[in-house]
Amino acid sequence: MRTYLKTLSQVMKNIIVAASLIFSFVACAQNDFPVNESFTHEVVTKEITLPWGIDFLPNEDMLVTDKSGKLYRVVGEKVTEITGTPKVLFEGQGGLLDITVHPDYNKNGWIYLSYSKGGKKDKDGKELGTTAIVRAKIEGNKLVGMQEVFEAQPYQPKRGHYGSRIVFDGKGYMYFSVGERQNRDENPQTLRNHLGKIHRTYDDGSIPEDNPFRNSPIAMPSIYSYGHRNPQGLVLGPDGTLWETEHGPRGGDELNIIVPGKNYGWPVISYGINYDGTSFTDITSKEGMEQPVNYWVPSIAPCGMEYVTSGKYGDLKGDILVGSLSFQYVNRCVMENGKVVKEEKLLKGIGRVRAIEEAADGTIYIGVENVGIVKLVRK
């Protein structure tokens, strides 16, 4: 009888969770978003099959990472490989990830790369992996002078949830994301490791004195916020607001404003459930934990994002664009006063969107798996 009651209790809990997700679905269901057919795309290059990160040199050359471990320079229709990239652990979700050009590139020549790094093994000989960031300079078509500026601790056995985006704020600070490496019960809620966090450092990896946990004896001093799952979108708005998107489990993908020192709740609070349909938490809010600005049920699998600052695309200015891996489109979040007031689908069915980047001239470029690099075009 005790076993029966326990089973019945779990069934009722799952029904309640499912019901709550149905109501969330009504409010946030991406299938209900209208398709904006005012936009199409033009293919820039098909040669890069697994694009992950995009950025631009001051001379407008485009730099693109391919998850397989290669880095490319794109100039017009010409695509050139830049050699000398770090050795990546190209398995599962790992590989060569984001790329960011230093805002003072003309003075120092630094570019930054995040990637999944291997090299350590557990007691059984299985290779472990982590998220790392290096910086280097380009000479001809080769990276030189490479320096590691960050290495997430501890290394982990699984091959997912690396993060990882990199942004500079123009004030000397570098922000970057690290996923919880598919270990939700140990990593995101502790300050004792780097995993499941947004970090802030100077460009050489050193720690700012005003970081929120800089003086804590139990915290990693680079931590800027914590309680994150797998943040694969990070961008600064023109007013300095740091925006982030992260993958939820089955439902519960989030758009957040990152505030220093705050706890974003994973996995204590969530609007999602396990992939097998069971629940892992029965609460969506808790005192001391931040609520998302927006969330998606079902998951759109957000990867890559951009805050549109140019007027080149008319009323897209001031909105946030988020790539969808699962549903293969660009999600437009229409913004007013820091809130999402409307959502639309752009480029529906284009493919798995990994990266979105606005060039200096306002053109928006998009990296799509097995499609290449495309640019957004108004019809």
Side-chain angles (χ1 to χ4, degrees):
M1 176 63 73
R2 184 178 299 171
T3 301
Y4 170 77
L5 290 174
K6 183 176 180 181
T7 302
L8 180 61
S9 175
Q10 182 61 46
V11 169
M12 292 303 296
K13 181 180 178 182
N14 289 343
I15 291 173
I16 291 170
V17 170
S20 69
L21 285 174
I22 289 172
F23 287 113
S24 295
F25 180 87
V26 172
C28 310
Q30 64 81 35
N31 289 324
D32 291 337
F33 300 161
V35 177
N36 187 328
E37 297 183 349
S38 301
F39 298 92
T40 184
H41 69 280
E42 293 179 2
V43 175
V44 176
T45 178
K46 297 180 179 180
E47 292 186 39
I48 306 170
T49 57
L50 293 174
W52 211 98
I54 302 171
D55 206 358
F56 301 88
L57 295 173
N59 66 358
E60 300 183 4
D61 288 1
M62 183 191 304
L63 300 178
V64 183
T65 57
D66 188 285
K67 186 182 169 191
S68 65
K70 295 183 177 181
L71 173 64
Y72 295 97
R73 185 203 308 262
V74 181
V75 181
E77 297 181 355
K78 183 179 180 181
V79 179
T80 305
E81 183 179 352
I82 297 174
T83 61
T85 54
K87 181 181 179 182
V88 304
L89 187 59
F90 180 41
E91 294 180 14
Q93 296 174 10
L96 187 58
L97 305 175
D98 206 15
I99 181 166
T100 300
V101 176
H102 195 289
D104 290 328
Y105 180 86
N106 281 333
K107 294 181 179 179
N108 59 40
W110 289 121
I111 65 166
Y112 290 72
L113 297 164
S114 64
Y115 69 106
S116 53
K117 179 182 179 181
K120 293 187 178 182
K121 295 184 178 181
D122 65 13
K123 61 181 180 180
D124 298 319
K126 177 179 174 60
E127 187 170 21
L128 304 174
T130 195
T131 302
I133 296 175
V134 296
R135 66 179 183 179
K137 299 182 180 182
I138 301 174
E139 287 188 2
N141 292 313
K142 185 177 181 179
L143 294 181
V144 298
M146 188 172 293
Q147 301 174 0
E148 184 172 271
V149 297
F150 177 80
E151 181 188 55
Q153 300 293 340
Y155 278 63
Q156 300 281 283
K158 293 185 178 180
R159 298 295 190 254
H161 298 194
Y162 291 96
S164 86
R165 296 289 174 180
I166 311 168
V167 296
F168 285 92
D169 66 358
K171 299 177 181 178
Y173 299 115
M174 178 173 70
Y175 301 84
F176 51 93
S177 62
V178 178
E180 37 80 298
R181 299 303 317 289
Q182 298 175 291
N183 189 342
R184 73 183 184 202
D185 296 325
E186 295 182 15
N187 292 332
Q189 285 297 315
T190 180
L191 298 174
R192 295 182 182 273
N193 71 33
H194 291 120
L195 311 181
K197 318 293 192 301
I198 306 297
H199 298 267
R200 183 179 77 154
T201 67
Y202 291 120
D203 62 358
D204 62 355
S206 60
I207 308 299
E209 293 182 1
D210 60 345
N211 265 16
F213 303 106
R214 165 71 186 256
N215 298 316
S216 170
I218 64 166
M220 293 293 190
S222 61
I223 294 174
Y224 196 67
S225 65
Y226 65 108
H228 300 288
R229 187 174 182 268
N230 188 21
Q232 291 192 346
L234 199 64
V235 68
L236 278 159
D239 63 352
T241 300
L242 184 62
W243 295 89
E244 174 252 21
T245 56
E246 63 183 86
H247 292 265
R250 183 173 166 184
D253 297 342
E254 295 181 358
L255 170 67
N256 292 301
I257 292 176
I258 301 301
V259 179
K262 297 297 185 179
N263 180 353
Y264 287 79
W266 176 255
V268 179
I269 61 174
S270 177
Y271 289 91
I273 57 176
N274 288 316
Y275 290 112
D276 64 4
T278 61
S279 65
F280 58 88
T281 181
D282 57 1
I283 59 174
T284 56
S285 64
K286 185 176 182 178
E287 185 176 357
M289 295 183 177
E290 299 299 298
Q291 282 291 299
V293 173
N294 194 46
Y295 65 92
W296 293 277
V297 177
S299 294
I300 67 170
C303 187
M305 65 187 299
E306 183 61 287
Y307 194 108
V308 182
T309 62
S310 167
K312 183 168 184 172
Y313 297 96
D315 61 359
L316 288 190
K317 184 177 180 179
D319 293 341
I320 292 176
L321 302 181
V322 179
S324 169
L325 294 172
S326 293
F327 294 103
Q328 302 186 10
Y329 69 95
V330 174
N331 192 96
R332 178 192 181 189
C333 296
V334 180
M335 308 300 296
E336 287 185 10
N337 301 317
K339 304 289 185 181
V340 179
V341 297
K342 179 183 177 181
E343 296 183 73
E344 295 179 340
K345 300 176 184 178
L346 309 184
L347 308 185
K348 181 182 177 182
I350 189 173
R352 287 167 56 84
V353 177
R354 277 285 177 194
I356 307 173
E357 194 75 21
E358 183 182 272
D361 68 356
T363 303
I364 294 171
Y365 292 87
I366 303 165
V368 187
E369 288 185 4
N370 299 312
V371 173
I373 306 301
V374 306
K375 64 180 178 180
L376 186 67
V377 176
R378 183 179 286 276
K379 293 180 180 178

